[in-house]
Amino acid sequence: MSEKREFLWGGALAANQCEGAYLEDGRLPSSCDLLPDAAHGRWDVMYHPCKILETDYGFYPSHEAIDFYHSYKEDLKLLAESGIKALRLSISWTRIYPNGEEETPNEKGLQFYEDLFKECLKYGMEPVVTLCHFDVPVNLIKKYGSWTNRIMIDLYAKYARTVLERYKDLVKYWLTFNEINMITHIPYLGGGLLVDKDDKNFNSIVYNAAHNQLLASAKAVEIAKEISSDLKMGCMMAAGSFYPYSCNPNDVMEAVTCNNKNYIFIDVQMNGEYSGFAKNHFKKLGVEIKMEEGDIELLKNNTCDYLGFSYYSSRLISTDPEHLKNVADGNAITTLRNPYLQITKWGRQIDPVGLRVTMNDLYSRYHKPLFIVENGLGVEDKMDEKGEIHDDYRIEYIDQHITQLKKAILEDGVECIGYLVWGIIDIISAGGGEIDKRYGLVYVDKHNDGSGDLKRYVKDSFHWYKNKIQEEKIYE
Ligand code: BG6
């Protein structure tokens, strides 16, 4: 990738958090459609999903979400006014293969994404597409236990081939799995796994399921290369480097270990093999990865072209039991409270410099282009009587992160394809299922209790972002 191309300023969304229309035009439910909202115990269910298939929890935000399925034309027209150059979207697997294993794909689903991607291009927005943003067809969970079963590799490969072939001329940037490391933290969200946190075989189940995802990811890369050398295949992780709490060497070493753990899957997708750390880690946990003939070659020969990542904050670790008591929200990955950082109402710490640290860590580890495919601030916004939303806190957050990403690129020499604001339009939160935890530059009139008319309003941050990305010249 040449340094002389345009930096992709943009935004990001995910099908299960924005589309709604969950049973329309032949679509069938996916794993995310079975997750209730926060008031009905979304986190309890995520950690103990064993009864999820037979329980009615009441309210499911993704069934309607923000109805992007029907409103995407107006939404894209509005987003285009901000001048963004890229929009990350995901394809809902069950719109294409509703039960995951039909002979032929659902044409209505295929047509929807074709229209959507064409509409993006009409406004000069490059679609950046995630093949699997957490959602797994429910039928595959019931019948095969989702990613615990190797049959998933071929089913995913078939789905990937269908969409890669269909959209090869519309979409250049692809991501195989969203936040692949999430599966070890929230296995139901990360892989549709019905394993409880306290299951004695937890590690073995989860790491073997992740192995199957890695093989599926490699197959998708292999298929893409066969279809066209123009396609850029990326992997994606929930990033955020671990800092040591102190300069005590034990703390420093603990941070190294936590980072190594967090990179286990991305090491495979970028380097083509499990690291020495991973192999020893599996041994310590008593995990045996069920390797079959051809696995090693498949992984080796199909590494990714770039590394996509989400960044919300750095993380902190210590070996001191006293410090270990004071935790904060690390986007599902445990972190300690860093006394130097501010914290949001949802417990998430704010660390713009940590973005620069993380970019340096990732780039020096893999030497391939990075792509910040998620970053943003989830808070409650208030609309005033004039219908305006003055979100100066979000402007400050994004501005500070952009300052640091520029330093990483321009001072530290990190290669980066673009920067995408997460949830550029308010969407359903993946963790809590709330909509009142808002990331958007566009406000959606919808609330946690289901009220609201879904009307869109631009926030102050929308205007600010428009000016900012017009002024910023990276790689020019
Ligand atoms: C990432 C996910 O983990 O973080 C998104 O890829 C998610 O799907 C985002 O929405 C923010 O997390 P949350 O829980 O605040 O929605």
Side-chain angles (χ1 to χ4, degrees):
M1 272 176 232
S2 126
E3 285 205 0
K4 290 282 171 249
R5 78 201 131 60
E6 188 173 32
F7 187 77
L8 295 179
W9 295 107
L13 299 167
N16 73 79
Q17 292 170 259
C18 73
E19 284 179 7
Y22 89 116
L23 293 180
E24 236 172 285
D25 291 336
R27 187 187 183 280
L28 288 177
S30 82
S31 49
C32 299
D33 298 322
L34 304 188
L35 281 170
D37 70 322
H40 294 81
R42 193 176 176 97
W43 275 103
D44 299 341
V45 177
M46 278 211 240
Y47 283 141
H48 301 282
C50 279
K51 296 211 175 62
I52 204 165
L53 295 177
E54 65 257 23
T55 312
D56 184 349
Y57 295 95
F59 180 42
Y60 299 90
S62 68
H63 294 186
E64 186 189 26
I66 60 157
D67 200 32
F68 183 76
Y69 188 73
H70 296 113
S71 65
Y72 76 90
K73 286 197 176 150
E74 296 83 49
D75 285 332
L76 294 187
K77 187 164 181 245
L78 182 60
L79 287 180
E81 286 172 27
S82 72
I84 58 170
K85 297 283 172 255
L87 183 63
R88 178 178 172 220
L89 298 156
S90 70
I91 297 177
S92 164
W93 189 342
T94 58
R95 281 202 199 284
I96 310 301
Y97 287 102
N99 68 34
E101 52 181 354
E102 289 85 351
E103 280 293 307
T104 48
N106 173 24
E107 180 52 34
K108 284 194 173 154
L110 285 171
Q111 192 59 51
F112 168 70
Y113 290 108
E114 183 174 326
D115 295 343
L116 175 60
F117 301 149
K118 281 185 174 161
E119 198 73 6
C120 287
L121 293 168
K122 177 172 126 189
Y123 291 113
M125 290 177 218
E126 181 103 44
V128 177
V129 177
T130 315
L131 286 167
C132 183
H133 193 118
F134 294 149
D135 42 5
V136 176
V138 166
N139 176 55
L140 301 184
I141 300 177
K142 284 189 181 159
K143 206 161 159 188
Y144 302 116
S146 188
W147 287 100
T148 60
N149 193 317
R150 281 181 76 106
I151 196 170
M152 293 292 284
I153 303 165
D154 288 338
L155 293 171
Y156 173 94
K158 180 175 168 181
Y159 155 65
R161 182 181 290 281
T162 303
V163 296
L164 287 163
E165 257 166 10
R166 175 85 171 220
Y167 309 125
K168 63 179 183 300
D169 299 323
L170 303 176
V171 179
K172 177 173 164 190
Y173 290 102
W174 295 85
L175 295 157
T176 56
F177 285 90
N178 183 59
E179 295 185 334
I180 195 148
N181 50 332
M182 208 46 98
I183 196 168
T184 59
H185 304 279
I186 325 173
Y188 182 75
L189 193 68
L193 304 183
L194 300 179
V195 58
D196 280 5
K197 270 272 174 194
D198 38 22
D199 190 304
K200 65 177 180 2
N201 295 320
F202 182 88
N203 287 318
S204 179
I205 292 170
V206 164
Y207 279 110
N208 273 292
H211 179 64
N212 293 337
Q213 288 190 331
L214 291 171
L215 294 168
S217 171
K219 281 236 174 185
V221 174
E222 185 177 58
I223 293 165
K225 299 294 162 202
E226 194 187 301
I227 293 174
S228 163
S229 57
D230 289 341
L231 304 182
K232 299 288 174 207
M233 300 302 289
C235 48
M236 198 288 197
M237 73 174 293
S241 293
F242 278 90
Y243 298 162
Y245 201 99
S246 73
C247 50
N248 177 337
N250 292 329
D251 281 2
V252 177
M253 193 54 227
E254 190 61 19
V256 170
T257 304
C258 287
N259 282 319
N260 278 341
K261 245 189 253 173
N262 212 21
Y263 295 139
I264 285 179
F265 308 127
I266 293 292
D267 282 345
V268 178
Q269 290 174 300
M270 297 303 281
N271 299 335
E273 60 191 4
Y274 285 101
S275 62
F277 172 87
K279 289 176 192 158
N280 289 328
H281 181 63
F282 296 151
K283 246 187 239 156
K284 271 191 217 153
L285 294 175
V287 169
E288 196 195 326
I289 299 293
K290 294 173 194 120
M291 284 276 183
E292 290 192 6
E293 208 186 321
D295 285 5
I296 290 178
E297 294 71 22
L298 180 67
L299 297 175
K300 190 84 213 155
N301 297 334
N302 298 289
T303 55
C304 288
D305 300 312
Y306 69 95
L307 167 51
F309 67 96
S310 61
Y311 176 83
Y312 293 96
S313 185
S314 57
R315 301 186 170 100
L316 182 68
I317 193 68
S318 167
T319 48
D320 179 340
E322 264 317 295
H323 291 146
L324 288 175
K325 289 180 194 154
N326 200 1
V327 296
D329 171 17
N331 194 19
I333 301 177
T334 310
T335 177
L336 304 182
R337 177 79 179 92
N338 184 332
Y340 293 97
L341 303 180
Q342 281 180 352
I343 196 161
T344 71
K345 177 184 159 189
W346 272 271
R348 206 166 273 178
Q349 312 191 83
I350 301 179
D351 182 12
V353 176
L355 175 60
R356 182 177 178 187
V357 173
T358 301
M359 289 175 78
N360 273 275
D361 284 351
L362 293 174
Y363 193 62
S364 52
R365 192 170 178 111
Y366 301 114
H367 312 287
K368 282 201 188 161
L370 306 181
F371 197 163
I372 305 165
V373 296
E374 283 187 32
N375 174 244
L377 181 67
V379 289
E380 225 169 327
D381 292 313
K382 292 272 172 272
M383 184 188 278
D384 69 13
E385 30 337 307
K386 289 192 243 147
E388 292 172 0
I389 301 102
H390 303 298
D391 56 340
D392 43 316
Y393 37 86
R394 183 170 292 105
I395 293 173
E396 190 186 352
Y397 179 97
I398 297 176
D399 194 28
Q400 289 176 348
H401 283 77
I402 290 178
T403 301
Q404 295 301 324
L405 85 84
K406 276 169 54 193
K407 287 188 179 176
I409 296 169
L410 302 173
E411 292 180 33
D412 310 332
V414 172
E415 195 180 349
C416 182
I417 298 167
Y419 171 85
L420 309 181
V421 172
W422 175 248
I424 188 156
I425 308 175
D426 290 345
I427 49 174
I428 307 299
S429 146
E434 311 102 324
I435 183 151
D436 282 338
K437 181 185 187 185
R438 297 170 186 275
Y439 288 85
L441 311 186
V442 175
Y443 182 92
V444 177
D445 181 28
K446 191 78 189 165
H447 305 280
N448 288 353
D449 61 3
S451 65
D453 63 9
L454 291 173
K455 204 169 156 212
R456 278 53 164 163
Y457 300 82
V458 293
K459 305 181 191 176
D460 286 358
S461 54
F462 182 92
H463 302 291
W464 172 83
Y465 195 52
K466 176 180 179 167
N467 290 333
K468 182 79 181 166
I469 63 184
Q470 256 168 18
E471 281 163 17
E472 291 296 348
K473 301 273 176 264
I474 298 184
Y475 298 132
E476 279 171 38

